[in-house]
Amino acid sequence: MAATVHGARLRMRRAGPMTGRLRERALERESWSPEQWREWRRERLAFVLERAMTRVPYYRDHWSNRRRSGDRASWELLENWPILEKDVVRADPKQFVADDRPLWRLAEERTSGTTGKPVTVYRSRRMDQELYALSAVRSRGWHGLGPGDRWAMVSGELVTPVSARRPPFWVWNAAQNQLYMSSYHLSPDFLPLYCDALVRYRIRYVFGYTSSLVALAREAARTGRTDLGLRVAITNAETLLAEQRAIIEDGLGCPVRETYGMTEAVAFASECEHGVLHEWPEVGIVERLTEDGPDPDSTGSRAGRTMCS
């Protein structure tokens, strides 16, 4: 019951009256030409830079100090903005919240701290709705999955004490049709129980750490399981190597699709059915570096599946 109540709260935050329209717009943009994407991103970037300069305390002070020192660089050009170091955000994350956004209306999120330095960020409900609408289209919709499909999440939230030696090592979230499975108990003794749970709860797709899905797949292959009935396995949080992809596909008997994202929400990507990892141009501008400097084509649209051949 607790998991379902928590799931209902998350669903209320991530969905709203605009959800359907947000998904429709995301689908419409997938057929855009590169020129349409460039124009849309140019306008959006101009809006974001102006808002950061006028409303966000850290950047407003930054540009004021530069002006007082005689620096006349234009804030309208992204290349004139400073590189933001993680320690600056960790020292005072609230200075990056726009002054017209009350903190009590924002959700406080913490990064996983994979570099040893977790960061606190604040996200609005509208931002969450935008991101989850994109995810519904590109991480799930591309593979024929909808909100009614039962799914399993294998991740690092504790649902039972680490010392527990008896199942369940998972909890059912009825509000989101989600079986949340602890990654802390993926030991050889318990892996058969995880596979049994996927069948018992009629799970249609699984979403989780690459290493966790590899462990499940190896167990399924070892025991010759053919009853899992999964449509797709979607990885997150960890890089998906070619060898790992082959293990998961063979063991779980379904295609594997990779995703990329972060709590800070400055870059997201998802893999289409053609095996291409597409950036989400709405989220941020990703610049790829080569030996000769920035790749001039690195800021183009990678979202539309029509661009795959």
Side-chain angles (χ1 to χ4, degrees):
M1 289 177 62
T4 296
V5 170
H6 180 64
R9 289 173 178 168
L10 289 177
R11 186 178 62 186
M12 289 177 62
R13 177 171 182 81
R14 297 168 179 174
M18 285 291 293
T19 296
R21 184 56 182 152
L22 291 174
R23 293 179 182 179
E24 290 174 3
R25 290 173 179 171
L27 284 169
E28 291 170 2
R29 289 193 294 270
E30 289 191 8
S31 61
W32 279 4
S33 68
E35 181 55 38
Q36 285 177 297
W37 272 117
R38 281 192 290 269
E39 179 62 20
W40 186 89
R41 282 156 62 89
R42 183 190 65 79
E43 294 178 0
R44 184 64 184 171
L45 177 61
F47 167 79
V48 171
L49 294 183
E50 181 178 11
R51 180 164 174 74
M53 195 274 290
T54 58
R55 287 293 192 176
V56 177
Y58 175 84
Y59 288 116
R60 187 168 55 214
D61 293 344
H62 170 85
W63 283 102
S64 294
N65 291 335
R66 289 176 67 169
R67 291 293 181 261
R68 283 195 294 270
S69 67
D71 187 338
R72 292 294 178 263
S74 173
W75 56 264
E76 296 176 309
L77 300 177
L78 181 59
E79 56 264 35
N80 292 334
W81 285 67
I83 298 295
L84 180 61
E85 301 292 342
K86 180 174 290 189
D87 286 340
V88 176
V89 183
R90 296 184 75 222
D92 187 5
K94 294 179 181 178
Q95 68 179 325
F96 293 92
V97 177
D99 57 15
D100 60 351
R101 288 291 182 266
L103 275 178
W104 64 270
R105 297 188 64 180
L106 305 178
E108 182 177 311
E109 305 278 354
R110 287 179 63 83
T111 65
S112 60
T114 51
T115 62
K117 295 183 177 182
V119 172
T120 298
V121 297
Y122 296 92
R123 288 164 44 161
S124 68
R125 185 184 180 197
R126 177 58 184 266
M127 177 179 174
D128 280 341
Q129 291 178 356
E130 294 268 8
L131 287 175
Y132 278 90
L134 292 173
S135 179
V137 171
R138 297 180 188 154
S139 296
R140 294 168 172 80
W142 282 357
H143 313 302
L145 303 171
D149 288 306
R150 291 170 165 249
W151 62 294
M153 177 76 170
V154 188
S155 195
E157 294 290 341
L158 282 175
V159 298
T160 190
V162 175
S163 59
R165 306 303 296 172
R166 290 186 177 183
F169 307 117
W170 45 80
V171 63
W172 177 250
N173 167 13
Q176 295 179 306
N177 285 327
Q178 178 199 63
L179 183 66
Y180 194 98
M181 312 183 90
S182 166
S183 62
Y184 291 99
H185 294 84
L186 288 171
S187 66
D189 291 340
F190 303 141
L191 278 169
L193 303 176
Y194 277 77
C195 292
D196 290 341
L198 293 176
V199 175
R200 184 165 65 253
Y201 283 90
R202 305 191 307 279
I203 299 303
R204 289 297 166 259
Y205 70 97
V206 61
F207 194 102
Y209 298 151
T210 301
S211 56
S212 297
L213 298 188
V214 166
L216 282 173
R218 281 177 169 157
E219 173 62 22
R222 184 186 70 83
T223 55
R225 305 275 311 228
T226 59
D227 58 344
L228 299 183
L230 297 173
R231 296 181 188 173
V232 66
I234 303 173
T235 68
N236 75 333
E238 300 171 345
T239 301
L240 176 64
L241 303 178
E243 178 184 359
Q244 294 171 316
R245 183 188 296 273
I247 291 172
I248 297 172
E249 289 183 343
D250 178 62
L252 299 186
C254 64
V256 182
R257 301 299 176 215
E258 185 177 10
T259 63
Y260 178 85
M262 59 187 72
T263 303
E264 298 93 328
V266 296
F268 277 82
S270 52
E271 184 181 347
C272 72
E273 67 270 28
H274 303 293
V276 178
L277 195 62
H278 298 263
E279 298 169 15
W280 296 3
E282 303 93 337
V283 176
I285 293 177
V286 178
E287 182 180 69
R288 291 188 294 275
L289 300 180
T290 68
E291 293 181 355
D292 300 322
D295 178 1
D297 296 324
S298 65
T299 58
S301 164
R302 307 273 176 172
R305 287 183 295 165
T306 56
M307 298 180 69
C308 295
S309 59

Coordinates of all heavy atoms in Angstrom, one line a residue, residues 146-226:
G146 N 2.9 1.3 -23.5 CA 2.0 2.3 -23.1 C 1.9 2.3 -21.6 O 2.4 1.4 -20.9
P147 N 1.1 3.2 -21.0 CA 0.9 3.3 -19.5 C 0.3 2.1 -18.9 O 0.4 1.8 -17.7 CB 0.1 4.5 -19.3 CG -0.6 4.8 -20.6 CD 0.4 4.3 -21.7
G148 N -0.5 1.3 -19.7 CA -1.1 0.1 -19.2 C -0.3 -1.1 -19.1 O -0.7 -2.1 -18.5
D149 N 0.9 -1.1 -19.7 CA 1.8 -2.2 -19.7 C 2.5 -2.4 -18.3 O 3.0 -1.4 -17.7 CB 2.9 -2.1 -20.7 CG 2.3 -2.3 -22.1 OD1 1.7 -3.3 -22.4 OD2 2.5 -1.4 -23.0
R150 N 2.5 -3.6 -17.8 CA 3.2 -3.9 -16.5 C 4.7 -3.9 -16.7 O 5.1 -4.5 -17.7 CB 2.7 -5.2 -15.9 CG 1.3 -5.2 -15.5 CD 0.8 -6.6 -15.1 NE -0.5 -6.5 -14.4 CZ -0.6 -6.9 -13.1 NH1 0.5 -7.4 -12.5 NH2 -1.7 -6.8 -12.5
W151 N 5.4 -3.3 -15.8 CA 6.8 -3.2 -16.0 C 7.6 -3.3 -14.7 O 7.0 -3.1 -13.6 CB 7.2 -1.9 -16.7 CG 6.9 -0.6 -15.9 CD1 5.7 -0.1 -15.6 CD2 7.8 0.3 -15.4 NE1 5.8 1.1 -14.9 CE2 7.1 1.4 -14.8 CE3 9.2 0.4 -15.4 CZ2 7.7 2.5 -14.1 CZ3 9.8 1.5 -14.8 CH2 9.1 2.5 -14.2
A152 N 8.8 -3.7 -14.8 CA 9.7 -3.9 -13.6 C 10.8 -2.9 -13.6 O 11.4 -2.7 -14.7 CB 10.2 -5.3 -13.5
M153 N 11.1 -2.3 -12.5 CA 12.3 -1.4 -12.3 C 13.2 -2.1 -11.4 O 12.9 -2.5 -10.3 CB 11.8 -0.1 -11.7 CG 12.9 0.9 -11.5 SD 13.4 1.6 -13.0 CE 14.5 2.9 -12.4
V154 N 14.5 -2.3 -11.9 CA 15.5 -2.9 -11.1 C 16.5 -1.8 -10.7 O 17.3 -1.4 -11.6 CB 16.2 -4.1 -11.8 CG1 17.2 -4.8 -10.8 CG2 15.2 -5.1 -12.4
S155 N 16.5 -1.4 -9.5 CA 17.3 -0.2 -9.1 C 17.7 -0.3 -7.7 O 17.5 -1.3 -7.0 CB 16.5 1.1 -9.4 OG 17.3 2.2 -9.4
G156 N 18.3 0.8 -7.2 CA 19.0 0.8 -6.0 C 18.3 1.4 -4.8 O 18.9 1.6 -3.7
E157 N 17.0 1.5 -4.8 CA 16.2 1.9 -3.7 C 15.9 0.7 -2.8 O 15.5 -0.4 -3.3 CB 14.9 2.6 -4.1 CG 15.0 3.9 -4.8 CD 15.5 5.0 -3.9 OE1 15.4 4.9 -2.6 OE2 16.1 6.0 -4.4
L158 N 16.1 0.8 -1.5 CA 15.9 -0.3 -0.6 C 14.4 -0.5 -0.4 O 13.7 0.4 -0.1 CB 16.5 0.0 0.8 CG 18.0 -0.2 0.8 CD1 18.5 0.2 2.2 CD2 18.4 -1.7 0.6
V159 N 13.9 -1.7 -0.7 CA 12.5 -2.1 -0.4 C 12.4 -3.1 0.7 O 11.3 -3.4 1.2 CB 11.9 -2.6 -1.7 CG1 11.8 -1.6 -2.8 CG2 12.5 -3.9 -2.2
T160 N 13.6 -3.6 1.1 CA 13.6 -4.5 2.2 C 15.1 -4.4 2.8 O 16.0 -4.1 2.0 CB 13.3 -6.0 1.8 OG1 13.2 -6.8 2.9 CG2 14.4 -6.5 0.9
P161 N 15.3 -4.7 4.0 CA 16.7 -4.6 4.6 C 17.7 -5.4 3.8 O 17.4 -6.5 3.3 CB 16.5 -5.1 6.0 CG 15.1 -4.9 6.3 CD 14.3 -5.1 5.1
V162 N 18.9 -4.9 3.6 CA 19.9 -5.6 2.9 C 20.2 -7.0 3.5 O 20.5 -8.0 2.8 CB 21.2 -4.8 2.9 CG1 22.4 -5.6 2.2 CG2 21.0 -3.5 2.2
S163 N 20.0 -7.1 4.8 CA 20.2 -8.4 5.5 C 19.1 -9.4 5.3 O 19.3 -10.6 5.7 CB 20.4 -8.1 7.0 OG 19.2 -7.5 7.5
A164 N 18.1 -9.0 4.7 CA 16.9 -10.0 4.5 C 17.4 -11.2 3.6 O 18.1 -11.0 2.6 CB 15.8 -9.3 3.8
R165 N 16.9 -12.3 4.1 CA 17.3 -13.6 3.4 C 16.1 -14.3 2.8 O 16.2 -15.4 2.3 CB 18.0 -14.5 4.3 CG 19.3 -13.9 5.0 CD 20.3 -13.4 4.0 NE 20.8 -14.4 3.1 CZ 21.6 -14.2 2.1 NH1 21.9 -12.9 1.7 NH2 22.1 -15.2 1.4
R166 N 14.9 -13.7 2.9 CA 13.7 -14.3 2.4 C 13.0 -13.3 1.5 O 12.9 -12.1 1.8 CB 12.8 -14.7 3.5 CG 13.2 -15.9 4.3 CD 12.2 -16.3 5.3 NE 12.6 -17.5 6.1 CZ 11.8 -18.1 7.0 NH1 10.6 -17.6 7.3 NH2 12.2 -19.1 7.6
P167 N 12.4 -13.7 0.4 CA 11.6 -12.8 -0.4 C 10.3 -12.4 0.3 O 10.0 -13.0 1.3 CB 11.3 -13.7 -1.7 CG 11.3 -15.1 -1.2 CD 12.4 -15.1 -0.1
P168 N 9.7 -11.3 -0.2 CA 10.0 -10.6 -1.5 C 11.1 -9.6 -1.4 O 11.3 -9.0 -0.3 CB 8.7 -10.0 -1.8 CG 8.1 -9.6 -0.5 CD 8.5 -10.8 0.4
F169 N 11.9 -9.5 -2.4 CA 12.9 -8.4 -2.5 C 12.4 -7.3 -3.5 O 13.2 -6.7 -4.2 CB 14.2 -9.0 -3.0 CG 14.6 -10.2 -2.2 CD1 14.8 -11.4 -2.8 CD2 14.9 -10.0 -0.9 CE1 15.2 -12.5 -2.0 CE2 15.3 -11.1 -0.1 CZ 15.5 -12.4 -0.6
W170 N 11.1 -7.2 -3.6 CA 10.4 -6.3 -4.5 C 9.1 -5.8 -3.9 O 8.7 -6.4 -2.9 CB 10.2 -7.0 -5.9 CG 9.6 -8.4 -5.7 CD1 8.3 -8.7 -5.4 CD2 10.3 -9.6 -5.7 NE1 8.1 -10.0 -5.3 CE2 9.4 -10.6 -5.4 CE3 11.6 -9.9 -5.9 CZ2 9.7 -12.0 -5.4 CZ3 12.0 -11.3 -5.9 CH2 11.0 -12.3 -5.6
V171 N 8.5 -4.8 -4.5 CA 7.3 -4.3 -4.0 C 6.4 -3.9 -5.2 O 7.0 -3.4 -6.2 CB 7.5 -3.1 -3.0 CG1 8.2 -1.9 -3.7 CG2 6.2 -2.7 -2.4
W172 N 5.1 -4.1 -5.2 CA 4.2 -3.8 -6.3 C 3.6 -2.4 -6.1 O 3.0 -2.1 -5.1 CB 3.1 -4.8 -6.4 CG 2.1 -4.5 -7.5 CD1 0.8 -4.1 -7.3 CD2 2.4 -4.5 -8.9 NE1 0.3 -3.9 -8.6 CE2 1.2 -4.1 -9.5 CE3 3.5 -4.8 -9.7 CZ2 1.1 -4.1 -10.9 CZ3 3.4 -4.7 -11.0 CH2 2.2 -4.4 -11.7
N173 N 3.8 -1.5 -7.1 CA 3.3 -0.2 -7.1 C 2.1 -0.2 -8.1 O 2.3 0.0 -9.3 CB 4.4 0.8 -7.5 CG 3.9 2.2 -7.9 OD1 2.8 2.5 -7.7 ND2 4.8 3.0 -8.5
A174 N 0.9 -0.4 -7.6 CA -0.3 -0.5 -8.5 C -0.6 0.8 -9.2 O -1.1 0.8 -10.3 CB -1.5 -0.9 -7.7
A175 N -0.2 1.9 -8.7 CA -0.5 3.2 -9.3 C 0.2 3.4 -10.6 O -0.3 4.1 -11.5 CB -0.2 4.4 -8.3
Q176 N 1.3 2.7 -10.8 CA 2.1 2.9 -12.0 C 2.4 1.5 -12.7 O 3.2 1.4 -13.6 CB 3.5 3.5 -11.7 CG 3.3 5.0 -11.2 CD 4.7 5.6 -10.9 OE1 5.5 5.0 -10.1 NE2 4.9 6.7 -11.4
N177 N 1.6 0.5 -12.3 CA 1.8 -0.8 -12.9 C 3.3 -1.3 -12.8 O 3.8 -1.9 -13.8 CB 1.3 -0.9 -14.3 CG -0.2 -0.9 -14.4 OD1 -0.9 -1.5 -13.6 ND2 -0.7 -0.3 -15.5
Q178 N 3.9 -1.0 -11.7 CA 5.3 -1.2 -11.6 C 5.7 -2.2 -10.5 O 5.2 -2.1 -9.4 CB 6.0 0.2 -11.3 CG 7.5 0.1 -11.1 CD 8.1 1.3 -10.4 OE1 7.8 1.5 -9.2 NE2 8.9 2.1 -11.1
L179 N 6.6 -3.1 -10.8 CA 7.2 -4.0 -9.9 C 8.6 -3.4 -9.6 O 9.5 -3.5 -10.4 CB 7.3 -5.4 -10.4 CG 7.8 -6.4 -9.4 CD1 6.9 -6.6 -8.2 CD2 8.1 -7.8 -10.1
Y180 N 8.8 -2.8 -8.4 CA 10.1 -2.3 -8.1 C 10.9 -3.3 -7.4 O 10.6 -3.8 -6.3 CB 9.9 -1.1 -7.2 CG 11.2 -0.2 -7.1 CD1 11.4 0.9 -7.9 CD2 12.3 -0.7 -6.3 CE1 12.6 1.6 -7.8 CE2 13.4 0.1 -6.2 CZ 13.6 1.2 -7.0 OH 14.7 1.9 -7.0
M181 N 12.0 -3.7 -8.0 CA 12.9 -4.8 -7.5 C 14.2 -4.2 -7.0 O 14.9 -3.5 -7.7 CB 13.1 -5.8 -8.7 CG 11.8 -6.2 -9.4 SD 12.1 -7.4 -10.7 CE 11.9 -8.9 -9.7
S182 N 14.6 -4.7 -5.9 CA 15.9 -4.2 -5.3 C 17.0 -4.9 -6.0 O 17.1 -6.1 -6.3 CB 15.9 -4.7 -3.8 OG 17.2 -4.5 -3.3
S183 N 18.0 -4.0 -6.3 CA 19.3 -4.5 -6.9 C 20.2 -5.1 -5.9 O 21.2 -5.7 -6.3 CB 19.9 -3.4 -7.7 OG 20.3 -2.3 -6.9
Y184 N 19.9 -4.9 -4.6 CA 20.8 -5.3 -3.6 C 20.8 -6.8 -3.3 O 21.6 -7.4 -2.6 CB 20.5 -4.6 -2.3 CG 20.8 -3.1 -2.3 CD1 19.8 -2.2 -2.5 CD2 22.1 -2.7 -2.1 CE1 20.1 -0.8 -2.6 CE2 22.4 -1.3 -2.2 CZ 21.4 -0.4 -2.4 OH 21.7 1.0 -2.4
H185 N 19.8 -7.5 -3.8 CA 19.6 -8.9 -3.5 C 19.8 -9.8 -4.7 O 19.3 -10.9 -4.8 CB 18.3 -9.2 -2.9 CG 18.1 -8.5 -1.5 ND1 17.8 -7.2 -1.3 CD2 18.3 -9.1 -0.3 CE1 17.7 -6.9 -0.1 NE2 18.1 -8.0 0.6
L186 N 20.5 -9.3 -5.8 CA 20.7 -10.0 -7.0 C 21.8 -11.0 -6.8 O 22.8 -10.9 -7.5 CB 20.9 -9.1 -8.2 CG 19.7 -8.3 -8.7 CD1 20.1 -7.3 -9.7 CD2 18.6 -9.3 -9.3
S187 N 21.7 -11.9 -5.9 CA 22.7 -12.9 -5.6 C 22.3 -14.2 -6.3 O 21.1 -14.4 -6.7 CB 22.9 -13.1 -4.1 OG 21.7 -13.7 -3.6
P188 N 23.3 -15.1 -6.5 CA 22.9 -16.4 -7.2 C 21.8 -17.2 -6.5 O 21.0 -17.8 -7.2 CB 24.2 -17.2 -7.1 CG 25.3 -16.1 -7.1 CD 24.7 -15.0 -6.3
D189 N 21.7 -17.0 -5.2 CA 20.6 -17.7 -4.4 C 19.2 -17.2 -4.7 O 18.2 -17.9 -4.7 CB 20.9 -17.7 -2.9 CG 22.1 -18.5 -2.5 OD1 22.5 -19.4 -3.2 OD2 22.6 -18.2 -1.4
F190 N 19.2 -15.9 -5.0 CA 17.9 -15.3 -5.2 C 17.5 -15.0 -6.6 O 16.3 -14.6 -6.9 CB 17.8 -14.0 -4.4 CG 18.2 -14.1 -2.9 CD1 18.9 -13.2 -2.2 CD2 17.7 -15.2 -2.2 CE1 19.2 -13.3 -0.9 CE2 18.0 -15.4 -0.9 CZ 18.7 -14.4 -0.2
L191 N 18.4 -15.1 -7.5 CA 18.1 -14.7 -8.9 C 16.9 -15.5 -9.5 O 16.1 -15.0 -10.2 CB 19.3 -14.9 -9.8 CG 20.3 -13.7 -9.8 CD1 21.6 -14.1 -10.5 CD2 19.7 -12.5 -10.4
P192 N 16.8 -16.9 -9.2 CA 15.6 -17.6 -9.7 C 14.3 -17.0 -9.2 O 13.3 -17.0 -9.9 CB 15.9 -19.0 -9.1 CG 17.3 -19.1 -8.9 CD 17.7 -17.7 -8.5
L193 N 14.3 -16.5 -8.0 CA 13.1 -15.9 -7.4 C 12.7 -14.6 -8.2 O 11.5 -14.3 -8.4 CB 13.3 -15.6 -5.9 CG 13.7 -16.8 -5.1 CD1 13.9 -16.3 -3.6 CD2 12.6 -17.8 -5.1
Y194 N 13.7 -13.8 -8.6 CA 13.4 -12.6 -9.4 C 12.8 -13.0 -10.7 O 11.8 -12.4 -11.2 CB 14.8 -11.9 -9.7 CG 15.2 -11.0 -8.6 CD1 15.8 -11.5 -7.4 CD2 15.0 -9.6 -8.6 CE1 16.2 -10.6 -6.4 CE2 15.4 -8.7 -7.6 CZ 16.0 -9.3 -6.5 OH 16.4 -8.4 -5.5
C195 N 13.3 -14.0 -11.4 CA 12.7 -14.5 -12.6 C 11.3 -15.0 -12.4 O 10.4 -14.7 -13.2 CB 13.6 -15.6 -13.3 SG 15.2 -15.1 -13.8
D196 N 11.0 -15.7 -11.3 CA 9.7 -16.1 -11.0 C 8.7 -14.9 -10.8 O 7.6 -15.0 -11.3 CB 9.7 -17.0 -9.8 CG 10.4 -18.3 -9.9 OD1 10.5 -18.8 -11.1 OD2 10.7 -18.9 -8.9
A197 N 9.2 -13.9 -10.2 CA 8.4 -12.7 -9.9 C 8.0 -12.0 -11.2 O 6.9 -11.5 -11.4 CB 9.1 -11.7 -9.0
L198 N 9.0 -11.9 -12.2 CA 8.6 -11.3 -13.5 C 7.5 -12.0 -14.2 O 6.6 -11.4 -14.8 CB 9.9 -11.4 -14.4 CG 11.1 -10.5 -14.0 CD1 12.2 -10.7 -14.9 CD2 10.7 -9.0 -13.9
V199 N 7.5 -13.4 -14.1 CA 6.4 -14.2 -14.7 C 5.1 -14.0 -13.9 O 4.0 -13.8 -14.4 CB 6.8 -15.6 -14.7 CG1 5.6 -16.5 -15.3 CG2 8.0 -15.8 -15.6
R200 N 5.2 -14.1 -12.5 CA 4.0 -14.0 -11.7 C 3.3 -12.7 -11.8 O 2.0 -12.6 -11.8 CB 4.4 -14.3 -10.2 CG 3.2 -14.3 -9.3 CD 3.6 -14.9 -8.0 NE 4.5 -14.1 -7.2 CZ 5.8 -14.4 -7.1 NH1 6.3 -15.5 -7.6 NH2 6.6 -13.6 -6.4
Y201 N 4.0 -11.6 -12.0 CA 3.4 -10.3 -12.1 C 3.1 -9.9 -13.5 O 2.7 -8.8 -13.8 CB 4.3 -9.2 -11.4 CG 4.2 -9.2 -9.9 CD1 5.1 -10.0 -9.2 CD2 3.3 -8.4 -9.3 CE1 5.0 -10.0 -7.8 CE2 3.2 -8.4 -7.9 CZ 4.1 -9.2 -7.1 OH 4.0 -9.2 -5.8
R202 N 3.4 -10.8 -14.5 CA 3.1 -10.6 -15.9 C 3.7 -9.3 -16.4 O 3.1 -8.5 -17.1 CB 1.6 -10.6 -16.1 CG 0.8 -11.8 -15.6 CD -0.6 -11.8 -16.1 NE -1.4 -10.6 -15.8 CZ -1.9 -10.3 -14.6 NH1 -1.8 -11.1 -13.6 NH2 -2.6 -9.2 -14.5
I203 N 5.0 -9.2 -16.1 CA 5.8 -8.1 -16.6 C 6.0 -8.1 -18.1 O 6.4 -9.2 -18.6 CB 7.1 -8.0 -15.8 CG1 6.9 -7.9 -14.3 CG2 8.0 -6.9 -16.3 CD1 6.0 -6.7 -13.9
R204 N 5.8 -7.0 -18.7 CA 6.0 -6.9 -20.2 C 7.3 -6.2 -20.6 O 7.8 -6.4 -21.7 CB 4.8 -6.2 -20.8 CG 3.6 -7.0 -20.8 CD 3.7 -8.3 -21.6 NE 2.7 -9.3 -21.3 CZ 2.9 -10.4 -20.5 NH1 4.0 -10.6 -19.9 NH2 1.9 -11.2 -20.4
Y205 N 7.9 -5.4 -19.8 CA 9.2 -4.8 -20.0 C 9.9 -4.5 -18.7 O 9.3 -4.3 -17.7 CB 9.1 -3.6 -21.0 CG 8.6 -2.3 -20.4 CD1 9.4 -1.3 -19.8 CD2 7.2 -2.1 -20.4 CE1 8.9 -0.2 -19.3 CE2 6.7 -0.9 -19.9 CZ 7.5 0.0 -19.3 OH 7.0 1.2 -18.8
V206 N 11.2 -4.6 -18.8 CA 12.0 -4.3 -17.6 C 13.0 -3.2 -17.9 O 13.5 -3.0 -18.9 CB 12.8 -5.6 -17.2 CG1 13.7 -6.1 -18.3 CG2 13.5 -5.4 -15.9
F207 N 13.1 -2.3 -16.8 CA 13.9 -1.1 -16.9 C 14.9 -1.1 -15.8 O 14.5 -1.3 -14.6 CB 13.0 0.1 -16.8 CG 13.5 1.4 -17.2 CD1 13.3 2.0 -18.4 CD2 14.3 2.1 -16.3 CE1 13.8 3.2 -18.8 CE2 14.9 3.4 -16.7 CZ 14.6 3.9 -17.9
G208 N 16.2 -1.0 -16.0 CA 17.1 -1.0 -14.9 C 18.6 -0.9 -15.2 O 18.9 -0.7 -16.4
Y209 N 19.4 -1.0 -14.2 CA 20.8 -1.0 -14.4 C 21.3 -2.0 -15.4 O 20.8 -3.2 -15.3 CB 21.6 -1.2 -13.1 CG 21.3 -0.2 -12.0 CD1 21.4 -0.5 -10.6 CD2 21.0 1.1 -12.3 CE1 21.2 0.4 -9.6 CE2 20.8 2.1 -11.3 CZ 20.9 1.7 -9.9 OH 20.6 2.6 -8.9
T210 N 22.2 -1.7 -16.2 CA 22.8 -2.7 -17.2 C 23.3 -3.9 -16.4 O 23.0 -5.1 -16.8 CB 23.9 -2.1 -18.0 OG1 23.4 -0.9 -18.7 CG2 24.5 -3.1 -19.0
S211 N 24.1 -3.7 -15.4 CA 24.6 -4.9 -14.7 C 23.6 -5.7 -14.0 O 23.7 -7.0 -14.0 CB 25.6 -4.3 -13.6 OG 24.9 -3.4 -12.7
S212 N 22.5 -5.1 -13.6 CA 21.4 -5.9 -13.0 C 20.7 -6.8 -14.0 O 20.3 -7.9 -13.8 CB 20.4 -5.0 -12.3 OG 21.0 -4.3 -11.2
L213 N 20.4 -6.2 -15.2 CA 19.8 -6.9 -16.3 C 20.7 -8.0 -16.8 O 20.2 -9.1 -17.2 CB 19.4 -6.0 -17.4 CG 18.4 -4.9 -17.0 CD1 17.9 -4.1 -18.3 CD2 17.2 -5.4 -16.3
V214 N 22.0 -7.8 -16.8 CA 22.9 -8.9 -17.2 C 22.8 -10.0 -16.2 O 22.8 -11.2 -16.6 CB 24.4 -8.3 -17.2 CG1 25.4 -9.5 -17.3 CG2 24.5 -7.4 -18.5
A215 N 22.7 -9.7 -14.9 CA 22.6 -10.8 -13.9 C 21.3 -11.6 -14.1 O 21.4 -12.8 -14.1 CB 22.7 -10.2 -12.5
L216 N 20.2 -10.9 -14.3 CA 19.0 -11.6 -14.6 C 19.0 -12.5 -15.9 O 18.6 -13.6 -15.9 CB 17.8 -10.6 -14.7 CG 17.3 -10.0 -13.4 CD1 16.3 -8.9 -13.8 CD2 16.6 -11.0 -12.6
A217 N 19.6 -11.9 -16.9 CA 19.7 -12.6 -18.2 C 20.6 -13.9 -18.1 O 20.3 -14.9 -18.6 CB 20.3 -11.7 -19.2
R218 N 21.7 -13.8 -17.3 CA 22.6 -14.9 -17.2 C 21.8 -16.0 -16.4 O 22.0 -17.2 -16.7 CB 23.8 -14.5 -16.4 CG 24.8 -13.8 -17.4 CD 26.1 -13.4 -16.6 NE 27.1 -13.0 -17.5 CZ 28.1 -12.2 -17.2 NH1 28.2 -11.6 -16.0 NH2 29.0 -11.8 -18.1
E219 N 21.0 -15.7 -15.4 CA 20.3 -16.7 -14.7 C 19.2 -17.3 -15.6 O 19.0 -18.6 -15.6 CB 19.6 -16.0 -13.5 CG 18.7 -16.9 -12.7 CD 19.3 -18.2 -12.1 OE1 20.6 -18.1 -11.9 OE2 18.6 -19.2 -11.9
A220 N 18.5 -16.5 -16.4 CA 17.5 -17.0 -17.3 C 18.1 -18.0 -18.3 O 17.6 -19.0 -18.6 CB 16.8 -15.9 -18.0
A221 N 19.3 -17.6 -18.8 CA 20.0 -18.5 -19.8 C 20.5 -19.8 -19.1 O 20.4 -20.9 -19.7 CB 21.1 -17.7 -20.4
R222 N 21.0 -19.6 -17.9 CA 21.5 -20.8 -17.2 C 20.4 -21.9 -17.0 O 20.7 -23.1 -17.1 CB 22.1 -20.4 -15.9 CG 22.8 -21.5 -15.1 CD 23.3 -21.0 -13.7 NE 22.1 -20.8 -12.9 CZ 21.5 -21.7 -12.2 NH1 21.8 -23.0 -12.2 NH2 20.5 -21.4 -11.4
T223 N 19.2 -21.4 -16.6 CA 18.1 -22.3 -16.3 C 17.2 -22.6 -17.5 O 16.2 -23.3 -17.3 CB 17.3 -21.7 -15.1 OG1 16.9 -20.4 -15.4 CG2 18.2 -21.7 -13.9
G224 N 17.5 -22.0 -18.6 CA 16.7 -22.3 -19.8 C 15.3 -21.7 -19.8 O 14.4 -22.3 -20.3
R225 N 15.2 -20.5 -19.1 CA 13.8 -19.9 -19.0 C 13.4 -19.4 -20.3 O 14.1 -18.6 -21.0 CB 13.9 -18.8 -18.0 CG 14.4 -19.1 -16.6 CD 13.4 -19.7 -15.7 NE 12.1 -19.0 -15.5 CZ 11.5 -18.8 -14.3 NH1 12.2 -19.0 -13.2 NH2 10.3 -18.3 -14.3
T226 N 12.2 -19.8 -20.7 CA 11.6 -19.2 -21.9 C 10.2 -18.7 -21.7 O 9.4 -18.4 -22.6 CB 11.4 -20.4 -23.0 OG1 10.6 -21.4 -22.5 CG2 12.8 -20.9 -23.4

